[in-house]
Amino acid sequence: METMTRNSVGSGRHLHPAQETMPREQLAALQLERLRSSVRNAYDNVPMHRARMDAAGIAPDDIRTLADVQRLHFTVKTDLRDHYPYGMFARPLSDLVRLHASSGTTGKPTVVGYTKDDISNWADLMARSMVSAGARAGDVVHNAYGYGLFTGGLGAHYGAERLGAVVVPMSGGSTERQVALIMDFGARVLCATPSYALAIAEVAESQGVDLRQSALEVGLFGAEPWSDAIRAEVEARLGLKAVDVYGLSEIMGPGVACECECRRGLHGWEDHFLFEVIDPETGRVLPEGEAGELVITTLTKQALPMLRYRTRDITRLDSTRCDCGRTHVRILRITGRNDDMLIIRGVNVYPSQIEAVLIGRPHIAPHYQIVVERKGSLDEVSVEVEVLPGVPEDRYGAVAHDVGHHIKSMIGVTADVIVKPPGAIPRSQGKAVRVRDLRPK
Ligand code: DLL
């Protein structure tokens, strides 16, 4: 395992300055060396990768430049399901120290595994992400990501410990207790999904607790798409700086990428991952700056090397200089997943676009659900919104009209708007359910 250079942990702007500010040429050379060994690991130890490379007539030694990655096959989520549970692991179970899994809505879960070194690299990258977000050694980190098979809880936990912070392993739920402990333990850093952070704020307000007066200064929020409008809302109600953190279990977990103080995209940690953006239809790699599907190849993972994993997440890359001094590419805010795209009367719409219209409109709370139903052969979409406390019922019609009008004028689609009383939209304790798909499966 590599030894990372540390300044006194967490005291500076960068946790691993040598890696984070490495000149891009040197970073590319490091990536190539690691790519070659990662491809070799996949080829030698994972039958699926070997079979696909053999079929394409490519051997690990054919990877001579970073662009050669484009000669490799893609890996998709169903590959993990098809090789359930351990068929894509490059190490025997005896070399592993941890499994995580995501519960698929249909069929088998996807299982991911880690060696001791994988866990250590993950802790390093999550600690690096936390410092990038503004956390420091000695901080009390209140971790409200779910513990268990989900990677959020343990990922943030190990990162906080590696940083030298004091972690409160709260997990999701028991929201009133979360509020009390944030106050009593003096948490400076909050880790949660943005939707759960809002739920915490709401419960605090209902208890008459002002979290803006707490010690909270930094929020590490991720695991679901969220808009700048939600960011503003969370910042105003919790009195902290909200920073976006990204990751996925198939690649590692949280800490694959994180914003810095400039918040102009999330630095993807290129010493451990290779990022591409492709056209989801053709699979062709797109020039930097164009929006498409993010594809990630792991460079250091031992137990589960991933070659060109199609994340389904839609974004753009930007490798221009960042004022923070980090040289690693920026992954611009994920606007949604391919799978989440709705087709409303022929128009492609992401839930995040609807969210951007809703948040901040007068009289409505930042909680909503989009309901998709099948009426005859057509999909019907309605948007459920919730009024703020104190809005009288005879105003609901006017609120529905206002929201519907803005959805139409800003996105170009007509959607039914259903206005509900305060508290009627379910609150999340983890990833928010933004779309209720009632279409027959
Ligand atoms: O959500 C890992 C994570 C935990 C990331 C905590 C950040 C914080 P999965 O459950 O495998 O892993 O889900 C991964 O969640 O492909 C995205 O679609 C979505 N996602 C994660 N972070 C963000 C983000 C964790 N910052 C899937 N913005 C990913 C938008 C995100 N979407």
Side-chain angles (χ1 to χ4, degrees):
M1 218 211 69
E2 74 186 297
T3 337
M4 291 191 163
T5 331
R6 288 206 172 84
N7 52 3
S8 65
V9 172
S11 65
R13 275 151 51 103
H14 309 123
L15 182 61
H16 310 127
Q19 285 81 10
E20 291 173 59
T21 64
M22 189 179 279
R24 287 201 62 79
E25 226 167 75
Q26 207 182 321
L27 194 53
L30 178 69
Q31 282 192 306
L32 178 58
E33 182 196 316
R34 291 180 167 181
L35 174 65
R36 288 169 56 88
S37 76
S38 198
V39 171
R40 166 63 67 192
N41 181 25
Y43 184 86
D44 287 349
N45 301 306
V46 185
M48 186 200 88
H49 290 305
R50 177 190 286 256
R52 289 194 187 168
M53 287 175 63
D54 285 348
I58 299 165
D61 285 342
D62 293 335
I63 304 296
R64 296 198 186 89
T65 67
L66 281 179
D68 285 335
V69 76
Q70 293 176 31
R71 301 177 58 194
L72 296 171
H73 55 277
F74 291 116
T75 305
V76 294
K77 199 176 185 89
T78 46
D79 290 327
L80 281 154
R81 298 224 172 96
D82 292 346
H83 296 89
Y84 177 85
Y86 305 142
M88 290 200 43
F89 291 0
R91 291 284 184 280
L93 270 190
S94 53
D95 285 0
L96 267 53
V97 298
R98 174 105 59 87
L99 297 176
H100 280 282
S102 69
S103 53
T105 40
T106 50
K108 300 233 160 53
T110 42
V111 182
V112 297
Y114 305 78
T115 63
K116 201 168 175 223
D117 285 352
D118 290 335
I119 295 282
S120 181
N121 280 333
W122 183 12
D124 267 335
L125 292 183
M126 194 56 203
R128 183 193 286 184
S129 299
M130 287 177 154
V131 170
S132 169
R136 302 185 295 245
D139 281 347
V140 174
V141 174
H142 183 101
N143 185 14
Y145 283 122
Y147 280 67
L149 290 173
F150 174 52
T151 52
L154 285 171
H157 184 106
Y158 274 59
E161 285 194 353
R162 179 63 55 91
L163 166 64
V166 184
V167 58
V168 181
M170 189 67 206
S171 199
S174 316
T175 311
E176 295 190 357
R177 194 138 179 260
Q178 305 254 4
V179 173
L181 297 191
I182 288 171
M183 298 302 287
D184 296 350
F185 293 174
R188 181 172 173 266
V189 179
L190 172 63
C191 298
T193 59
S195 56
Y196 191 51
L198 267 184
I200 293 175
E202 189 176 42
V203 167
E205 286 155 15
S206 73
Q207 292 177 322
V209 176
D210 188 354
L211 285 175
R212 292 169 306 177
Q213 304 300 323
S214 73
L216 284 177
E217 285 179 25
V218 177
L220 261 113
F221 300 134
E224 63 187 10
W226 53 307
S227 58
D228 272 333
I230 288 274
R231 171 156 28 210
E233 180 87 25
V234 172
E235 292 193 330
R237 292 170 69 174
L238 290 165
L240 46 62
K241 183 165 177 179
V243 176
D244 196 2
V245 60
Y246 170 80
L248 62 168
S249 51
E250 296 88 332
I251 294 301
M252 180 176 82
V256 170
C258 190
E259 283 181 326
C260 61
E261 69 265 25
C262 305
R263 302 198 296 185
R264 289 203 334 265
L266 296 79
H267 290 285
W269 304 126
E270 287 183 282
D271 47 343
H272 292 268
F273 309 105
L274 184 67
F275 300 97
E276 304 169 82
V277 166
I278 62 162
D279 177 331
E281 301 295 325
T282 64
R284 290 248 322 272
V285 174
L286 294 172
E288 183 172 311
E290 282 188 31
E293 179 179 345
L294 183 66
V295 170
I296 308 178
T297 300
T298 61
L299 301 178
T300 53
K301 285 277 290 294
Q302 296 176 336
L304 186 55
M306 273 294 179
L307 303 182
R308 307 194 82 199
Y309 185 72
R310 291 188 61 158
T311 64
R312 318 284 296 164
D313 293 322
I314 303 298
T315 185
R316 290 182 283 142
L317 296 179
D318 181 356
S319 63
T320 58
R321 237 189 78 79
C322 184
D323 291 341
C324 72
R326 290 178 184 81
T327 48
H328 295 228
V329 70
R330 275 165 297 160
I331 299 170
L332 302 194
R333 188 181 270 283
I334 309 278
T335 47
R337 291 175 62 77
N338 254 357
D339 326 272
D340 294 343
M341 195 185 74
L342 302 164
I343 303 181
I344 307 180
R345 297 192 173 102
V347 182
N348 297 352
V349 180
Y350 286 102
S352 59
Q353 288 174 278
I354 295 186
E355 174 176 307
V357 175
L358 298 180
I359 309 302
R361 288 233 61 74
H363 311 304
I364 59 171
H367 308 283
Y368 66 94
Q369 274 188 338
I370 300 163
V371 184
V372 190
E373 284 166 287
R374 177 70 46 84
K375 298 257 169 75
S377 60
L378 285 180
D379 286 344
E380 285 278 327
V381 174
S382 50
V383 180
E384 297 184 349
V385 299
E386 190 184 294
V387 286
L388 290 170
V391 176
E393 242 183 285
D394 61 8
R395 296 276 305 148
Y396 285 17
V399 170
H401 183 264
D402 169 74
V403 170
H405 170 76
H406 279 85
I407 291 176
K408 174 80 187 164
S409 70
M410 293 172 78
I411 316 178
V413 297
T414 308
D416 272 344
V417 178
I418 298 157
V419 176
K420 300 202 150 189
I425 306 271
R427 305 295 191 256
S428 84
Q429 298 184 349
K431 294 178 192 256
V433 179
R434 302 297 196 195
V435 178
R436 251 176 31 238
D437 191 343
L438 305 179
R439 287 173 293 192
K441 289 278 165 346

